[in-house]
Amino acid sequence: YVKVLWQDKLGQISLAVTTLFWGAGATLQLIVIEWGKSHLGFRLDQASILMGVAALGTIVGSVFAGRVPLKKALSVLPVGVLMGLVVLMMPLVSSTWTVYSLLLIIGGLSGYFVVPMNALLQHRGHVLLSAGHSIAVQNFNEQINILLMVAMYTLMLWLDLPINLIIAIFGILVATLMLVIIRWSKRNIAADPALLDEIG
């Protein structure tokens, strides 16, 4: 079942994005808590509130993403690149209102770009597999990537890298991978323009 979705030209794009999103999201939670303590001088309970602010942004972004028709799902991919670039601004802010505003923006961007991708993945999964099998494949890939990205974060902490450097590496990695996925999707569509008609 994993092979079926990864071989589908639309399924592989949506699966790659959602897999990256959940891995990045899990890692970002850990990064934000450490950033709150190290960079902002927050207590653990204050740093934990930062994730709630980002989650609120994700909810708002998801609401707006609901207006994106399935056929235009791929058009939100550049938002993923923007999210990675906005993460790079985290070391530059320190006042409470700028910190909260930035996290709201990061959460909003992530919610806006992942919801259409998730809808596209569920659509392709329903067409190619059963709904249950597609969700199982999605969860399997997401959990593998969460383990991988959290392991990378743990390694960087073990190497005693400054949290602001870790944030820079994380933001550049997300933005770069999203650019790769965008090129990948354009190549798939160019090779088979009729693909978009399948989700019309």
Side-chain angles (χ1 to χ4, degrees):
Y1 298 119
V2 174
K3 187 177 179 180
V4 171
L5 266 182
W6 276 116
Q7 287 182 334
D8 179 68
K9 291 187 180 301
L10 288 174
Q12 61 188 213
I13 298 301
S14 53
L15 188 54
V17 172
T18 55
T19 297
L20 173 61
F21 170 82
W22 288 108
T27 310
L28 186 61
Q29 290 183 43
L30 300 175
I31 288 175
V32 165
I33 291 175
E34 181 61 30
W35 173 67
K37 292 191 298 179
S38 303
H39 180 72
L40 305 174
F42 283 8
R43 300 189 310 271
L44 180 59
D45 58 335
Q46 293 174 314
S48 300
I49 291 174
L50 296 177
M51 281 315 306
V53 175
L56 179 61
T58 303
I59 293 171
V60 174
S62 300
V63 170
F64 283 99
R67 302 178 182 180
V68 179
L70 189 59
K71 191 168 185 177
K72 294 187 179 297
L74 295 178
S75 68
V76 304
L77 289 178
V79 177
V81 179
L82 182 59
M83 187 197 79
L85 296 177
V86 172
V87 166
L88 295 176
M89 298 176 62
M90 286 173 60
L92 305 178
V93 299
S94 56
S95 66
T96 302
W97 75 269
T98 54
V99 167
Y100 286 177
S101 297
L102 187 62
L103 290 176
L104 281 171
I105 292 171
I106 292 172
L109 292 172
S110 63
Y112 187 80
F113 93 85
V114 77
V115 169
M117 287 294 99
N118 194 61
L120 178 59
L121 179 58
Q122 293 303 314
H123 171 75
R124 296 309 294 165
H126 177 72
V127 170
L128 300 168
L129 308 167
S130 68
H133 286 144
S134 67
I135 292 173
V137 170
Q138 180 180 0
N139 287 340
F140 172 78
N141 283 273
E142 289 169 357
Q143 296 306 314
I144 291 293
N145 195 45
I146 288 173
L147 286 173
L148 177 61
M149 295 192 75
V150 169
M152 290 173 56
Y153 171 68
T154 303
L155 175 61
M156 287 188 282
L157 286 180
W158 182 75
L159 293 172
D160 203 25
L161 297 182
I163 189 62
N164 285 341
L165 177 58
I166 293 175
I167 289 170
I169 293 172
F170 176 81
I172 292 171
L173 178 65
V174 170
T176 301
L177 289 175
M178 285 304 304
L179 285 171
V180 170
I181 292 173
I182 288 172
R183 289 192 63 183
W184 184 5
S185 69
K186 288 181 177 179
R187 187 171 65 245
N188 283 358
I189 298 300
D192 187 1
L195 281 175
L196 293 179
D197 295 331
E198 297 181 22
I199 55 174

